Amino acid sequence: DALRIANGTVYGLAGAVWGEPGAAVDFARRMEAGQVDVNGGRFNPLAPFGGYKQSGIGRELGAHGLTEYLHTKSLQF
């Protein structure tokens, strides 16, 4: 029921989960949010930041943030 409530919004920027580590990670993976702190996890400036749904498109920070400025090219020889 908690997952239904957490995902039952038009927003999905960030969330937090507290509980037994394995269960908390499983729950966090199913949350529709761009960033989820597990058991008080600290902010990581190297991790990508951005939301789901109406909380935005794209990512900032980290390698995922840089990809918005890159164009992928394949070369075949």
Side-chain angles (χ1 to χ4, degrees), residues 44-77:
N44 179 358
L46 299 177
F49 179 81
Y52 287 20
K53 305 182 212 178
Q54 291 185 24
S55 287
I57 298 173
R59 295 291 174 263
E60 299 175 7
L61 307 175
H64 292 282
L66 291 175
T67 60
E68 293 189 36
Y69 301 98
L70 303 175
H71 295 281
T72 301
K73 182 182 294 191
S74 297
L75 301 178
Q76 283 67 239
F77 294 91

Side-chain angles (χ1 to χ4, degrees), residues 10-67:
V10 297
Y11 302 108
L13 183 60
V17 177
W18 291 85
E20 184 276 320
V25 168
D26 290 342
F27 189 93
R29 289 177 193 263
R30 295 191 316 259
M31 288 179 68
E32 296 170 355
Q35 184 173 30
V36 181
D37 295 342
V38 178
N39 291 332
R42 297 168 60 189
F43 180 75
N44 179 358
L46 299 177
F49 179 81
Y52 287 20
K53 305 182 212 178
Q54 291 185 24
S55 287
I57 298 173
R59 295 291 174 263
E60 299 175 7
L61 307 175
H64 292 282
L66 291 175
T67 60

